[in-house]
Amino acid sequence: MNLLVLGSGGRESALAWKLSRSPLAEHLYCMPGNPGTASFATNVNCSLSDFESIAQHISNLSVDMLVVGPENPLVEGITDFLHERMPSLMVIGPGRDGARLEGSKDFAKAFMTRYSIPTAAYRTFESSQLEDANAFMEQLKPPFVLKADGLAAGKGVIISDSIEEARQELASMFEGRFGDAGSKVVIEEYLSGIELSVFVLTDSKDYLMLPNAKDYKRIGEGDTGPNTGGMGSVSPVPFADDLFMSKVEERIVKPTVHGIAAEGMDYCGFIFIGLMNCAGDPYVIEYNVRMGDPECESVVRRIDSDLLEHLQAAAKGTLSSEKIVVSPKSSVTVMAVSGGYPGSYGKGFPISGLDTDSGEDDIVLFHAGTAVSGAEVVTSGGRVLAVTSLADSLNEARIASYRRLSVISFEGIFYRNDIGSDLLDF
Ligand code: AMP
Ligand code: GLY
């Protein structure tokens, strides 16, 4: 089978790496990919918003399956576009209607309400309803949670401790701070607990539970400072025991897949459910219609069965007969980022230590924001490299990832030293 993975980050590197190990994979292409994926796949340069050119490449390269990494092309309707053009192409990623679970927070909340899926109480307001929205906030207890309805590059959620600040934030959202994405705002109850990410592969009838993971979103150690795309991840999450995961499956995963089927969504792909564990009960914070980054890097390392076989079954609607084999080991991913990230940062810094043989097979280095300049690999983004280790225990995996990172350097390199350390005592 010929495969094309769309995207260029750590998530797509990890997906492509895992798929490259399948006996079913013949030619593997990454679009646009990065210098890391070039070592096991063929990179094809093309803009991810140019669906016409993507279709042309798919046809020229005789691609059988497309795996869409990021959410934007899905929300913009790439799956519908390609299904119309090439009905036999297998596409992993939902159509535009299913992608609204991520593309519109208001749609996702209403969907959860329709299927009695536990989530924070909420109301949605449009800019003409500023006064009603402020009155609604008066009834809530702080902190106040405001969410721009549309995609806002991961920045559309504001949590404020004071009502005055929340009012200002709301006004600025309605005034266009996030463009059209903020023309509607979801205001919801604050949930306190510990977060985790749950991943499901569905063909819109059946589903397969993938390994769960925890993401570390803040830039600073001890979860301080601004939010980032994710500074590291671990899998499995020690507090997500069998009892908790059975609640997740019964109360959230089953009704979500049922809702997808009941609404006739064209949904073959991943569902990433961001959850809060509130005193042992799971609540949905958000849906994403793709894998998480850097959760995916840790998750794929723990899938011992053939992911490509599972994706093929999802595309053919035969997921009910698939069995996933998950490693009992732990994986830890640490992201090396460029100094200044998530604010402004420099680019083009040469990276050393990429080829150093660590002598340990269980460490994989996934490229994220890298590029080739002359004979060198240089930084080209905020999140530069994801180092993932698989070991018998969480602590051993942590140690291995940090040992590998210690021999990598580029100007301004930064990484959190505490990924997974909060989970060592669970
Ligand atoms: P998102 O950009 O949707 O991933 O949200 C960013 C972060 O805001 C989440 O990872 C949570 O930490 C936090 N968050 C979102 N909604 C809530 C909520 N209702 N209660 C508490 N924290 C929340
Ligand atoms: N790591 C969070 C995300 O991918 O949205």
Side-chain angles (χ1 to χ4, degrees), residues 11 215 217 229-230 272 288 290-295:
R11 165 184 49 214
D215 173 24
K217 288 204 167 76
F272 161 178
N288 296 299
R290 51 170 174 86
M291 287 300 289
D293 192 356
E295 290 99 322

Side-chain angles (χ1 to χ4, degrees), residues 27-159:
H27 292 104
L28 173 62
Y29 301 97
C30 291
M31 184 181 278
N34 60 43
T37 60
S39 64
F40 54 80
T42 306
N43 289 343
V44 181
N45 205 19
C46 183
S47 155
L48 298 196
S49 53
D50 185 352
F51 295 172
E52 195 68 52
S53 296
I54 294 173
Q56 202 59 56
H57 282 294
I58 287 172
S59 164
N60 295 346
L61 300 170
S62 304
V63 168
D64 303 294
M65 180 190 282
L66 174 74
V67 181
V68 184
E71 65 276 18
N72 283 84
L74 296 170
V75 172
E76 287 160 14
I78 191 167
T79 302
D80 314 69
F81 178 88
L82 292 172
H83 274 161
E84 186 142 312
R85 285 290 192 89
M86 12 184 100
S88 64
L89 177 72
M90 292 180 272
V91 182
I92 306 301
R96 195 190 267 115
D97 56 350
R100 284 183 298 167
L101 286 173
E102 177 165 359
S104 166
K105 303 262 190 220
D106 177 47
F107 176 83
K109 295 294 288 192
F111 176 91
M112 287 184 253
T113 307
R114 284 198 288 284
Y115 298 99
S116 306
I117 295 166
T119 187
Y122 82 107
R123 272 186 64 189
T124 303
F125 297 92
E126 297 188 6
S127 53
S128 59
Q129 300 172 295
L130 183 62
E131 278 183 24
D132 293 346
N134 281 326
F136 178 67
M137 276 200 292
E138 295 282 352
Q139 300 165 23
L140 300 175
K141 287 196 276 287
F144 302 93
V145 182
L146 310 177
K147 300 185 169 183
D149 177 55
L151 291 184
K155 298 191 171 67
V157 176
I158 308 278
I159 301 184

Side-chain angles (χ1 to χ4, degrees), residues 324-397:
I324 185 166
V325 181
V326 174
S327 165
K329 293 186 174 189
S330 288
S331 56
V332 172
T333 299
V334 183
M335 272 282 177
V337 307
S338 230
Y341 173 81
S344 60
Y345 52 83
K347 293 183 184 176
F349 302 123
I351 308 171
S352 66
L354 290 176
D355 299 324
T356 313
D357 178 8
S358 65
E360 287 163 88
D361 294 341
D362 284 333
I363 304 176
V364 183
L365 202 154
F366 295 119
H367 287 228
T370 65
V372 169
S373 172
E376 287 179 317
V377 176
V378 299
T379 67
S380 68
R383 294 194 293 173
V384 178
L385 294 165
V387 177
T388 300
S389 298
L390 188 69
D392 288 335
S393 71
L394 172 61
N395 200 34
E396 286 166 88

Side-chain angles (χ1 to χ4, degrees), residues 105 109 120 145 147 154-159 188-192 195 217 227 276 284-286 288:
K105 303 262 190 220
K109 295 294 288 192
V145 182
K147 300 185 169 183
K155 298 191 171 67
V157 176
I158 308 278
I159 301 184
E188 69 179 29
E189 167 198 22
Y190 181 83
L191 297 171
S192 63
E195 279 183 72
K217 288 204 167 76
N227 264 327
M276 192 72 87
V284 178
I285 294 179
E286 60 165 353
N288 296 299

